[in-house]
Amino acid sequence: MSNCCDKREEIFRAALELIAEQGFHGAPMAMIAERAGVAAGTIYRYFENKDALIVDLFHEIDDKIGAVIMQDYQQAKPLRERFHHIFTTLARYFVKHPLHFRYIEQFHNSPYGVEFKRDILQRKTGDCHIYRDLLEEGVAQQVIKDLPMPILFALAFGPLKVVVRDHILGFVALEDELIDKLMAACWDGIRR
Amino acid sequence: MSNCCDKREEIFRAALELIAEQGFHGAPMAMIAERAGVAAGTIYRYFENKDALIVDLFHEIDDKIGAVIMQDYQQAKPLRERFHHIFTTLARYFVKHPLHFRYIEQFHNSPYGVEFKRDILQRKTGDCHIYRDLLEEGVAQQVIKDLPMPILFALAFGPLKVVVRDHILGFVALEDELIDKLMAACWDGIRR
DNA sequence: CGAGAGCGAATGATCGTTCACTCCGATTGT
DNA sequence: ACAATCGGAGTGAACGATCATTCGCTCTCG
């Protein structure tokens, strides 16, 4: 079987680059194959079809981000410090991996994304627990405004999404210092 | 020439519905034509091609929103009241016209959208003047945090975008009372 | 020599766009 | 007043391009 996982990685990388930069339209299987250095048919030895490739790649990225967040997350620290950690870690990850951010955006703004969001909010699965628990705890302690969870979520992380997008498109330079200021402003938005 | 503009309206309506609900993939010209009650070829009597149809429809919607915002906008009022007006008018418009919101989202998350955003930030054209002037005035008066414009923009309107999306997908019920609370929280985010 | 990884031309489906044609109200000629 | 003619809106079958997917073949190990 030689190095069977090498090609799978290459296909992932090629799909990530093309889809993140051009969207799903601009990423035909033939082009993904070419950039990965394999033949078109080879992709189907590793993935059932294009949909499976797209969904698998999303979960790969999503898991990696979850792992990075959890890596230095300390449940014992005060609320605001935990928020600081999550926010800045997320921001720095996206700045460091713009293709991951763009891919996630493409994914969420597509038929795949809607189905995925339904799963999250209904089955309450995945690593959104961390964010939600944090906010709920803040509400219980009367540190954070008493608003519905989706509203708090939007206030806490909505601006980050917009700003990272602007950063990648070159409209702002998202330095560490600016990330801190943005985080502080979002905290002002959700705190009582 | 009979009622020449009737068909154009029908094509707009059909394209809006299909693209807002299904995305650009799910809206082939043949289907738009069918829903508009015209033949496929007829669309090309009113629009040069699909791209032109999409861009024209976007500007139609964009202009309408701009008009609604400006309708009761009073330059003389205090900063915070003007922010209140813009924010709640926008929110209510999107709640009332979910298809318009979805279409704008689809548009912005596509090759069209990027080109469009470049135009806005470089040529400084269009009705974004209002938002920007408001924020800049606030910064000058030291009422609003001294942050780069894209950051302030994201803080002021980023959460709204996320919440409206959640509202349309049925994850929150965006009543007038909740809009006010959301607006207040966003104001907390940008004010000094 | 056999199994299976890898290949890539061929297939069938989809979609944007075209164009030769129809239809009908307006205009002109008688 | 009527017939002949015209112009252009509207049509939809057909075309060509694109794409995901397949499958019979080759080539390489073990």
Side-chain angles (χ1 to χ4, degrees):
Chain A
M1 65 178 67
S2 73
N3 43 6
C4 68
C5 297
D6 203 23
K7 287 198 192 297
R8 195 183 151 96
E9 279 301 309
E10 286 302 300
I11 293 166
F12 262 159
R13 196 184 48 76
L16 171 66
E17 288 175 14
L18 282 170
I19 294 174
E21 285 166 4
Q22 318 271 354
F24 292 109
H25 309 272
M29 292 298 261
M31 207 178 289
I32 294 174
E34 190 191 13
R35 192 178 279 222
V38 301
T42 304
I43 297 179
Y44 292 86
R45 300 204 67 80
Y46 294 94
F47 305 95
E48 192 188 331
N49 51 35
K50 192 176 184 179
D51 282 5
L53 166 60
I54 288 168
V55 172
D56 282 4
L57 179 49
F58 173 77
H59 281 118
E60 178 103 349
I61 295 173
D62 202 43
D63 290 349
K64 198 178 295 185
I65 292 176
V68 171
I69 294 284
M70 289 314 255
Q71 189 178 320
D72 293 322
Y73 188 71
Q74 298 179 3
Q75 189 66 256
K77 291 267 182 126
L79 215 68
R80 180 149 174 180
E81 277 184 49
R82 275 181 285 159
F83 180 74
H84 180 282
H85 173 260
I86 290 179
F87 194 99
T88 57
T89 305
L90 257 184
R92 274 195 285 263
Y93 183 91
F94 287 140
V95 168
K96 192 171 179 182
H97 305 285
L99 292 184
H100 289 199
F101 177 81
R102 296 278 286 153
Y103 185 88
I104 289 175
E105 262 204 328
Q106 298 281 0
F107 185 85
H108 274 112
N109 293 298
S110 74
Y112 311 108
V114 176
E115 190 185 349
F116 178 76
K117 192 152 193 176
R118 288 215 182 278
D119 283 0
I120 283 189
L121 287 222
Q122 284 176 1
R123 302 185 196 170
K124 308 185 172 185
T125 169
D127 35 38
C128 275
H129 269 180
I130 317 305
Y131 312 111
R132 211 194 48 200
D133 289 351
L134 182 77
L135 293 171
E136 277 177 355
E137 190 183 323
V139 172
Q141 292 182 14
Q142 304 197 339
V143 176
I144 290 179
K145 294 184 174 87
D146 187 12
L147 292 169
M149 194 48 51
I151 307 279
L152 289 178
F153 204 85
L155 286 165
F157 301 108
L160 178 59
K161 185 179 157 185
V162 178
V163 169
V164 169
R165 196 179 146 91
D166 284 350
H167 167 83
I168 291 172
L169 294 178
F171 300 144
V172 258
L174 199 48
E175 314 288 351
D176 276 4
E177 185 192 2
L178 199 50
I179 291 176
D180 278 347
K181 288 181 180 173
L182 179 63
M183 187 272 301
C186 287
W187 179 257
D188 286 343
I190 60 174
R191 81 138 182 249
R192 262 184 195 265
Chain B
M1 63 178 69
S2 72
N3 42 6
C4 67
C5 297
D6 204 23
K7 287 198 191 297
R8 194 183 152 95
E9 279 301 310
E10 285 303 301
I11 293 166
F12 263 159
R13 196 183 48 76
L16 171 66
E17 288 175 13
L18 282 171
I19 294 174
E21 285 166 6
Q22 318 270 355
F24 293 109
H25 309 272
M29 292 298 262
M31 206 179 289
I32 294 174
E34 189 191 13
R35 191 178 279 225
V38 301
T42 305
I43 298 179
Y44 292 87
R45 301 203 64 80
Y46 295 94
F47 305 95
E48 193 187 331
N49 50 35
K50 193 175 184 179
D51 282 6
L53 166 60
I54 288 169
V55 172
D56 282 4
L57 179 49
F58 173 77
H59 281 118
E60 178 103 349
I61 294 173
D62 202 43
D63 290 350
K64 199 179 292 183
I65 293 176
V68 172
I69 295 284
M70 289 314 256
Q71 190 177 318
D72 294 321
Y73 187 72
Q74 298 179 3
Q75 188 66 254
K77 291 266 182 127
L79 215 68
R80 183 156 167 173
E81 279 185 49
R82 274 180 284 160
F83 180 74
H84 180 282
H85 173 260
I86 289 179
F87 194 99
T88 57
T89 305
L90 257 184
R92 274 195 284 264
Y93 183 90
F94 287 140
V95 168
K96 192 171 180 181
H97 305 285
L99 291 184
H100 288 198
F101 178 80
R102 297 277 286 152
Y103 185 88
I104 290 175
E105 261 204 327
Q106 298 280 1
F107 186 86
H108 274 113
N109 293 300
S110 73
Y112 310 109
V114 176
E115 190 184 349
F116 178 75
K117 193 152 192 176
R118 287 214 181 279
D119 283 0
I120 283 189
L121 287 222
Q122 284 177 1
R123 301 186 196 169
K124 308 185 172 184
T125 169
D127 35 38
C128 275
H129 269 180
I130 318 304
Y131 312 111
R132 212 194 50 200
D133 288 351
L134 182 77
L135 294 171
E136 277 177 355
E137 190 183 323
V139 173
Q141 292 182 16
Q142 303 197 339
V143 175
I144 290 179
K145 294 185 174 86
D146 187 13
L147 292 170
M149 194 47 52
I151 307 280
L152 289 178
F153 204 86
L155 286 165
F157 300 108
L160 178 59
K161 185 178 157 186
V162 178
V163 170
V164 169
R165 196 179 146 90
D166 284 349
H167 168 84
I168 291 173
L169 294 178
F171 301 142
V172 259
L174 198 48
E175 314 287 351
D176 276 3
E177 186 191 2
L178 199 51
I179 291 175
D180 278 347
K181 287 180 181 172
L182 179 63
M183 186 272 301
C186 287
W187 180 257
D188 286 344
I190 59 173
R191 82 139 181 249
R192 263 184 194 265

